[in-house]
Amino acid sequence: MKKIPVIIDCDPGHDDAMMLMLAFGSGRFDVRAVTTSAGNQTQDKTLSNALKILTLIGANVPVYRGCEKPLFRKLIIADHVHGETGLHGPILPSPSFEAQALPAVQGIAHILEQSHEKVMIVPTGPLTNIAAFLLAYPHLKNKIERISLMGGGIFRGNMTPLAEFNIYVDPEAAQIVFRSGIPITMCGLDVTHKALVFQRDIERLRSLGNKSGIAAAELMDFFSIFYRENRSELDGGAALHDPCAIAWLLDPGMFASKPCFVDVEVNGTLTAGTTVVDFYDVLNQQANAEVVYDLDRGKFIELLYQAISVLP
Ligand code: RIB
Ligand code: CA
């Protein structure tokens, strides 16, 4: 089966790390590059974390350092969820390779210019790098097949009552992406809060016995603390946000979604960073995103487990 060409833009981050394990373990992607965004932690830390995770799973692909901060705003990090390092929990290997010299925006342009086919983009952090690329290289927009992103929400937020972290950190960047005209799949909190990993799933990963399975379990041990202390409605599960954006590309049939008009609020006092999703098409606007809102959790967890089982 032909591999899917993809550029992954992420801010590792526990669930970003699980997303990388799914992407590489699935064997279904031609990962042209990993670019790192500032979000869960500072750019220094997300870049280091990406290199460590890729070293752990034996994935030596070009890694590009992304923007240091949002387009117009101060950086807000999520150390309350991911810890001081951004990947608290397992002891990870020192990186066996370095990032490319080119910054991420130029790196994305180089890859798309060289590519003979369109490329998927999978952002799972703030959309700063993607927006900066679109502003700098508008003529390369047509080399992007689709953007399958983790971000936003139809009816809820996690940083404010209505704004999800990735969008909240850089609302202007998100607005540029959603208005770009590029096909978008939006995996927001409505689906990711159903993509839950429970202790039994964590123990199953640990019992794999390979380095990646043990590290995944230790990452989820720490990641679960926040959810058990702050999201009691999830019955002890932790939300595997970022793997959804990759899993949708692997098996969209495992999800429920619908085309919707989506825009991003950048000004509201209470609503800045909100993805305004016209779920019932009351505005009668052209849909610009496939909005994902449900999934088969068992299939999702099994996909992740099988991917991690083949990693080092
Ligand atoms: O709101 C969840 C998102 O914010 C996930 O991508 C998580 O990794 C953080 O970046
Ligand atoms: Ca993330």
Side-chain angles (χ1 to χ4, degrees):
M1 183 184 288
K2 185 179 178 315
K3 292 194 174 187
I4 304 166
V6 67
I7 293 172
I8 294 173
D9 182 61
C10 56
D11 62 336
H14 291 70
D15 53 326
D16 302 78
M18 300 297 276
M19 175 277 298
L20 290 170
M21 290 187 185
L22 176 59
F24 285 96
S26 73
R28 294 272 306 283
F29 292 98
D30 168 13
V31 182
R32 304 283 177 86
V34 171
T35 57
T36 53
S37 52
N40 282 326
Q41 261 295 352
T42 61
Q43 179 59 242
D44 279 347
K45 292 180 179 179
T46 58
L47 176 61
S48 172
N49 290 339
L51 291 168
K52 288 176 180 176
I53 289 294
L54 293 172
T55 297
L56 172 77
I57 65 176
N60 189 335
V61 297
V63 175
Y64 295 87
R65 182 187 183 106
C67 300
E68 304 300 321
K69 62 176 288 293
L71 296 180
F72 304 109
R73 297 172 187 246
K74 281 176 42 184
L75 176 62
I76 295 170
I77 62 174
D79 51 350
H80 59 295
V81 180
H82 301 275
E84 183 50 36
T85 66
L87 270 187
H88 196 82
I91 295 172
L92 296 170
S94 299
S96 61
F97 63 104
E98 295 184 349
Q100 302 290 308
L102 270 182
V105 170
Q106 280 113 303
I108 294 169
H110 173 72
I111 289 162
L112 294 182
E113 281 164 350
Q114 299 299 312
S115 180
H116 301 300
E117 56 195 332
K118 288 191 173 189
V119 177
M120 295 282 184
I121 307 278
V122 176
T124 61
L127 291 161
T128 312
N129 294 333
I130 311 307
F133 164 76
L134 292 173
L135 291 173
Y137 299 91
H139 63 288
L140 290 175
K141 194 165 72 169
N142 61 5
K143 294 297 285 292
I144 298 173
E145 175 73 29
R146 171 176 290 271
I147 295 173
S148 180
L149 64 89
M150 190 279 140
I154 306 166
F155 299 110
R156 79 187 73 184
N158 56 6
M159 282 303 282
T160 72
L162 285 175
E164 177 277 328
F165 178 79
N166 289 341
I167 311 298
Y168 181 75
V169 167
D170 199 341
E172 288 78 13
Q175 190 177 70
I176 288 167
V177 172
F178 276 94
R179 292 182 176 182
S180 67
I182 297 167
I184 290 172
T185 298
M186 175 183 135
C187 297
L189 296 177
D190 314 88
V191 64
T192 68
H193 277 177
K194 297 171 185 169
L196 298 174
V197 62
F198 293 96
Q199 196 58 43
R200 63 184 183 276
D201 306 311
I202 296 172
E203 295 314 321
R204 198 169 164 234
L205 288 170
R206 204 184 322 269
S207 68
L208 279 170
N210 56 344
K211 288 184 299 180
S212 300
I214 292 166
E218 292 173 349
L219 285 168
M220 291 298 97
D221 285 339
F222 180 80
F223 191 54
S224 299
I225 295 170
F226 172 82
Y227 285 87
R228 289 171 189 163
E229 291 178 355
N230 300 281
R231 299 285 188 273
S232 55
E233 314 79 41
L234 302 182
D235 298 328
L240 277 175
H241 307 284
D242 296 338
C244 289
I246 283 285
W248 189 88
L249 293 175
L250 289 170
D251 181 3
M254 155 187 338
F255 294 89
S257 64
K258 69 181 286 190
C260 299
F261 170 72
V262 181
D263 202 352
V264 179
E265 176 56 62
V266 296
N267 296 313
T269 305
L270 291 173
T271 57
T274 298
T275 45
V276 180
V277 179
D278 187 5
F279 195 71
Y280 297 119
D281 193 20
V282 294
L283 299 176
N284 199 24
Q285 293 276 333
Q286 177 67 36
N288 59 333
E290 187 69 25
V291 176
V292 187
Y293 59 86
D294 202 354
L295 87 166
D296 179 324
R297 191 200 78 86
K299 281 188 177 177
F300 172 76
I301 288 293
E302 190 59 27
L303 193 70
L304 183 62
Y305 176 83
Q306 292 304 328
I308 295 174
S309 70
V310 301
L311 293 174

PDB file of all heavy atoms in Angstrom, residues 10-11 15-16 40 124-125 166 242, ligand 2:
ATOM      1  N   CYS A  10       4.350  19.461  15.640  1.00  0.00           N
ATOM      2  CA  CYS A  10       3.880  19.055  16.971  1.00  0.00           C
ATOM      3  C   CYS A  10       4.626  19.770  18.086  1.00  0.00           C
ATOM      4  O   CYS A  10       5.677  20.364  17.875  1.00  0.00           O
ATOM      5  CB  CYS A  10       4.030  17.550  17.125  1.00  0.00           C
ATOM      6  SG  CYS A  10       5.696  16.905  16.858  1.00  0.00           S
ATOM      7  N   ASP A  11       4.041  19.680  19.298  1.00  0.00           N
ATOM      8  CA  ASP A  11       4.645  20.343  20.470  1.00  0.00           C
ATOM      9  C   ASP A  11       4.772  19.335  21.628  1.00  0.00           C
ATOM     10  O   ASP A  11       4.168  19.475  22.681  1.00  0.00           O
ATOM     11  CB  ASP A  11       3.814  21.561  20.911  1.00  0.00           C
ATOM     12  CG  ASP A  11       2.390  21.217  21.340  1.00  0.00           C
ATOM     13  OD1 ASP A  11       1.869  20.164  20.904  1.00  0.00           O
ATOM     14  OD2 ASP A  11       1.811  21.984  22.145  1.00  0.00           O
ATOM     15  N   ASP A  15       0.752  13.629  24.557  1.00  0.00           N
ATOM     16  CA  ASP A  15      -0.103  13.056  23.515  1.00  0.00           C
ATOM     17  C   ASP A  15       0.492  13.241  22.137  1.00  0.00           C
ATOM     18  O   ASP A  15       0.239  12.439  21.224  1.00  0.00           O
ATOM     19  CB  ASP A  15      -1.525  13.620  23.606  1.00  0.00           C
ATOM     20  CG  ASP A  15      -1.588  15.122  23.607  1.00  0.00           C
ATOM     21  OD1 ASP A  15      -0.688  15.758  24.156  1.00  0.00           O
ATOM     22  OD2 ASP A  15      -2.550  15.675  23.055  1.00  0.00           O
ATOM     23  N   ASP A  16       1.351  14.275  21.969  1.00  0.00           N
ATOM     24  CA  ASP A  16       2.109  14.391  20.717  1.00  0.00           C
ATOM     25  C   ASP A  16       3.053  13.201  20.566  1.00  0.00           C
ATOM     26  O   ASP A  16       3.214  12.643  19.481  1.00  0.00           O
ATOM     27  CB  ASP A  16       2.946  15.674  20.719  1.00  0.00           C
ATOM     28  CG  ASP A  16       2.134  16.930  20.904  1.00  0.00           C
ATOM     29  OD1 ASP A  16       1.749  17.210  22.054  1.00  0.00           O
ATOM     30  OD2 ASP A  16       1.861  17.612  19.914  1.00  0.00           O
ATOM     31  N   ASN A  40       2.930  23.272  24.314  1.00  0.00           N
ATOM     32  CA  ASN A  40       2.962  22.564  25.608  1.00  0.00           C
ATOM     33  C   ASN A  40       4.139  23.022  26.453  1.00  0.00           C
ATOM     34  O   ASN A  40       4.050  23.095  27.677  1.00  0.00           O
ATOM     35  CB  ASN A  40       3.058  21.058  25.381  1.00  0.00           C
ATOM     36  CG  ASN A  40       1.718  20.467  24.985  1.00  0.00           C
ATOM     37  OD1 ASN A  40       0.672  20.929  25.450  1.00  0.00           O
ATOM     38  ND2 ASN A  40       1.740  19.477  24.106  1.00  0.00           N
ATOM     39  N   THR A 124      -0.363  19.255  15.540  1.00  0.00           N
ATOM     40  CA  THR A 124      -1.004  18.863  16.804  1.00  0.00           C
ATOM     41  C   THR A 124      -0.610  19.795  17.948  1.00  0.00           C
ATOM     42  O   THR A 124      -0.645  19.417  19.121  1.00  0.00           O
ATOM     43  CB  THR A 124      -0.626  17.407  17.185  1.00  0.00           C
ATOM     44  OG1 THR A 124       0.803  17.334  17.362  1.00  0.00           O
ATOM     45  CG2 THR A 124      -1.068  16.425  16.119  1.00  0.00           C
ATOM     46  N   GLY A 125      -0.216  20.991  17.599  1.00  0.00           N
ATOM     47  CA  GLY A 125       0.067  22.042  18.578  1.00  0.00           C
ATOM     48  C   GLY A 125      -0.510  23.347  18.045  1.00  0.00           C
ATOM     49  O   GLY A 125      -1.309  23.340  17.093  1.00  0.00           O
ATOM     50  N   ASN A 166      -4.603  24.606  21.756  1.00  0.00           N
ATOM     51  CA  ASN A 166      -3.836  24.849  20.523  1.00  0.00           C
ATOM     52  C   ASN A 166      -4.321  26.081  19.775  1.00  0.00           C
ATOM     53  O   ASN A 166      -3.532  26.812  19.184  1.00  0.00           O
ATOM     54  CB  ASN A 166      -3.906  23.633  19.590  1.00  0.00           C
ATOM     55  CG  ASN A 166      -3.106  22.451  20.125  1.00  0.00           C
ATOM     56  OD1 ASN A 166      -2.238  22.611  20.976  1.00  0.00           O
ATOM     57  ND2 ASN A 166      -3.430  21.265  19.645  1.00  0.00           N
ATOM     58  N   ASP A 242      -3.910  14.169  20.369  1.00  0.00           N
ATOM     59  CA  ASP A 242      -3.148  14.277  19.126  1.00  0.00           C
ATOM     60  C   ASP A 242      -3.160  13.035  18.247  1.00  0.00           C
ATOM     61  O   ASP A 242      -3.215  13.170  17.008  1.00  0.00           O
ATOM     62  CB  ASP A 242      -1.708  14.702  19.438  1.00  0.00           C
ATOM     63  CG  ASP A 242      -1.666  16.089  20.064  1.00  0.00           C
ATOM     64  OD1 ASP A 242      -2.633  16.852  19.867  1.00  0.00           O
ATOM     65  OD2 ASP A 242      -0.680  16.410  20.737  1.00  0.00           O
TER      66      ASP A 242
HETATM   67 CA    CA B   2      -0.027  18.830  21.118  1.00  0.00          CA
END
